[in-house]
Amino acid sequence: MTTAEFDVDTALSGTGDGTYGAVLTPRWNIADIANGGYVLALACRALARALDREDPLTVTGHFLSPAVAGPATVEVEPLRAGRSVASGQARVLQDGRERVRVLGAFGTLGSEGGRLTRSGDGPPDLPPPDECPTGGAVGPDGTVAPISERFDLRFHPDSLAWSRGEPSGRAEVTGWIRLRDGRDPDTALLPLVVDVFPPTAFELGYAGWVPTVELTVHVRGRPAPGWLRCRTRSRVVGSELIEEDAEVWDARGALVAMSRQLARLPRPGQP
Amino acid sequence: MTTAEFDVDTALSGTGDGTYGAVLTPRWNIADIANGGYVLALACRALARALDREDPLTVTGHFLSPAVAGPATVEVEPLRAGRSVASGQARVLQDGRERVRVLGAFGTLGSEGGRLTRSGDGPPDLPPPDECPTGGAVGPDGTVAPISERFDLRFHPDSLAWSRGEPSGRAEVTGWIRLRDGRDPDTALLPLVVDVFPPTAFELGYAGWVPTVELTVHVRGRPAPGWLRCRTRSRVVGSELIEEDAEVWDARGALVAMSRQLARLPRPGQP
């Protein structure tokens, strides 16, 4: 039996008719809300099992209401079973309310990762983890979030300028990330990993809650054991919405996940 | 009554209970298959109507079976109606078979477009349209696709090197695009526009059918009338899958849409 926190907290009960039981724990919370990547990862567990394919290739979650610690149900509807790709839908429900709806395509990935089309386009350049400051997600009330205790986070010294009171104006965060309990990364963990870094919007001077409307993750390879490197970046700031792209690289330097989310910006004057 | 092809070919019948009738025309085909962006745009029309919000903010389609010319039904399930964002699901069916399942969040966009976070990150640098060669999507049999007759496409002289028998190895295509019948772009058209350029995989030496598994479009602003500029780009080539990002800029230089799709690469030896 595994005792890794992530595996315990995404464990499913159920007999294979496509409906699974789960219990969300508060360990992946920011303030009192379950991290969106955690809920998406739970849905992916159910999809992988129901579709009988190990790896999420592309998954999209639309976040409909805030998930909280406690029992949850995941309902999977298989949509298509092809030779290399199987697709399905998952709904995560609590007390009859839908928290997130997910569409996903699953398959079997190699361990080699993808080939980059452009040279000079590799992982972010980072000092060794020991030379990078730690840090973590902070809730709207300023307290460190429980999810930050799950991960060992080592940010580039130039990242998180906002936490020193001087937002850089550069909507980018880079750093190292791994689970603190020593569990190695796999393709089940990656949909959570892409959603752990603090919002890039903070570097643009926004403060407060930046709720995810939609998060799409492409998993491109099975990660090697050890540290992951992550870069999050935003390009276009609208009046109400911002996109945030994340890339995750494994210890061999392979790009193993790419994600994009659309999030709502805090309204001016809203803490 | 509009006579613009795109509006005629995405017209919906139905009385507002969430089920709409439509007729796919062959005008947006590649070979005998309806372009995925066209079918996604049709689903967006139904979602916008059922959710009573004009603009798609983020929409994801999973392509389950090839859509063809002929009658179709679009079934919308509203999921959430918030102050600024409303979410829903759409299914496009033909003869009882699901062609595409869509999740979308809709709202109201301004006409100003988004603000770029980085300078030097603007639209692709292109010669004027009159100095750019035309070109179009080509079906697996080498014939020009009907969809290419709908659009006026003017590619950067360095793009489409594969069509001259010398794939560049650079997975990028840039060019101008507008509808040939003079209909100006709007947020309803953009989910189609992102899927019109030939696959970037052709520049990497692949030939044949590159079917879309999943396509996500973020619409970030209402486009100004006139030409659009588009850049498509791929970064990671797996053994079976490739991602393709598109950006669409309007005549004022505003970034009005960003998309990413995951597509299956042709198998070696498959034409």
Side-chain angles (χ1 to χ4, degrees):
Chain A
M1 288 293 290
T2 178
T3 55
E5 293 173 330
F6 174 74
D7 299 306
V8 171
D9 296 353
T10 57
L12 301 168
S13 58
T15 53
D17 67 342
T19 299
Y20 303 92
V23 179
L24 299 184
T25 80
R27 291 197 280 209
W28 312 87
N29 275 5
I30 301 177
D32 294 329
I33 308 298
N35 168 271
Y38 167 47
V39 186
L40 183 61
L42 175 71
C44 287
R45 286 277 206 206
L47 282 161
R49 185 177 297 185
L51 300 174
D52 197 23
R53 310 281 171 120
E54 189 166 351
D55 301 312
L57 305 177
T58 170
V59 290
T60 292
H62 275 249
F63 295 88
L64 304 171
S65 62
V68 295
T73 303
V74 189
E75 296 179 2
V76 174
E77 178 192 357
L79 297 174
R80 176 180 178 275
R83 186 166 41 170
S84 58
V85 176
S87 304
Q89 173 184 282
R91 305 168 71 216
V92 179
L93 301 143
Q94 290 188 301
D95 292 328
R97 284 207 66 185
E98 190 165 355
R99 301 308 192 197
V100 58
R101 183 165 297 198
V102 177
L103 288 179
F106 285 66
T108 304
L109 287 166
S111 58
E112 74 283 358
R115 177 171 62 86
L116 293 179
T117 63
R118 296 188 291 272
S119 58
D121 198 24
D125 197 19
L126 295 168
D130 287 350
E131 297 173 22
C132 290
T134 61
V138 174
D141 58 355
T143 59
V144 172
I147 190 174
S148 295
E149 298 169 19
R150 306 279 84 69
F151 287 99
D152 195 354
L153 299 164
R154 312 290 181 94
F155 292 98
H156 189 286
D158 295 340
S159 288
L160 311 198
W162 57 268
S163 69
R164 301 182 288 276
E166 297 169 352
S168 68
R170 202 163 153 265
E172 180 171 330
V173 181
T174 60
W176 303 91
I177 178 171
R178 66 178 178 188
L179 282 170
R180 209 184 281 274
D181 69 3
R183 182 197 186 278
D184 275 314
D186 59 11
T187 59
L189 183 69
L190 292 172
L192 164 57
V193 166
V194 299
D195 198 33
V196 174
F197 276 18
T200 52
F202 290 179
E203 291 292 11
L204 302 175
Y206 292 90
W209 199 252
V210 189
T212 304
V213 175
E214 170 263 330
L215 169 59
T216 296
V217 187
H218 289 189
V219 177
R220 304 301 298 274
R222 294 184 174 175
W227 282 104
L228 299 168
R229 272 174 285 189
C230 184
R231 173 192 282 124
T232 58
R233 208 156 32 174
S234 299
R235 186 166 175 188
V236 184
V237 184
S239 57
E240 298 184 356
L241 298 164
I242 187 169
E243 103 286 355
E244 187 175 304
D245 287 3
E247 306 160 358
V248 182
W249 309 76
D250 74 2
R252 300 162 307 174
L255 184 53
V256 291
M258 307 169 76
S259 73
R260 178 172 290 163
Q261 65 174 267
L262 192 69
R264 271 198 293 122
L265 288 165
R267 289 187 178 76
Q270 186 181 354
Chain B
M1 288 296 290
T2 178
T3 55
E5 292 173 330
F6 175 74
D7 299 306
V8 171
D9 295 352
T10 58
L12 301 168
S13 59
T15 53
D17 66 343
T19 299
Y20 304 92
V23 179
L24 300 183
T25 80
R27 291 198 279 207
W28 313 87
N29 276 6
I30 300 178
D32 294 329
I33 308 297
N35 170 269
Y38 167 47
V39 186
L40 183 61
L42 174 70
C44 287
R45 287 277 205 206
L47 281 161
R49 184 177 298 184
L51 300 174
D52 197 23
R53 311 279 171 120
E54 188 166 350
D55 301 312
L57 306 176
T58 169
V59 290
T60 293
H62 275 250
F63 295 87
L64 304 171
S65 61
V68 295
T73 303
V74 188
E75 296 180 359
V76 174
E77 177 191 358
L79 297 174
R80 177 180 178 273
R83 188 167 38 171
S84 59
V85 176
S87 304
Q89 173 183 283
R91 305 167 71 216
V92 179
L93 302 141
Q94 289 188 303
D95 290 327
R97 285 208 67 186
E98 191 165 356
R99 300 307 192 199
V100 58
R101 183 166 297 199
V102 177
L103 288 178
F106 284 67
T108 305
L109 287 166
S111 58
E112 74 282 0
R115 177 172 63 84
L116 293 180
T117 64
R118 296 187 290 273
S119 58
D121 197 25
D125 197 19
L126 295 168
D130 287 349
E131 298 171 23
C132 290
T134 60
V138 174
D141 59 355
T143 58
V144 172
I147 190 173
S148 296
E149 296 168 21
R150 307 278 84 69
F151 287 98
D152 194 353
L153 299 164
R154 310 290 180 94
F155 293 98
H156 189 287
D158 294 340
S159 288
L160 309 198
W162 57 268
S163 70
R164 300 183 288 277
E166 298 169 351
S168 68
R170 200 161 155 267
E172 180 171 330
V173 180
T174 60
W176 303 92
I177 178 171
R178 65 179 178 188
L179 282 170
R180 209 183 281 273
D181 69 2
R183 183 196 185 277
D184 274 313
D186 59 12
T187 60
L189 183 70
L190 291 173
L192 164 56
V193 166
V194 299
D195 198 33
V196 174
F197 276 18
T200 52
F202 290 179
E203 290 292 9
L204 301 175
Y206 292 90
W209 198 253
V210 189
T212 303
V213 175
E214 171 262 330
L215 168 60
T216 296
V217 187
H218 289 190
V219 177
R220 304 301 297 273
R222 294 184 175 175
W227 282 104
L228 300 168
R229 273 175 284 190
C230 185
R231 174 193 282 124
T232 57
R233 210 157 28 175
S234 299
R235 186 166 175 187
V236 184
V237 185
S239 57
E240 297 184 0
L241 297 164
I242 187 168
E243 103 286 356
E244 188 175 304
D245 287 2
E247 304 160 359
V248 182
W249 309 75
D250 74 2
R252 302 161 308 175
L255 184 53
V256 291
M258 307 169 76
S259 73
R260 178 172 291 163
Q261 65 173 267
L262 192 69
R264 270 199 293 123
L265 288 165
R267 290 189 177 75
Q270 188 180 351

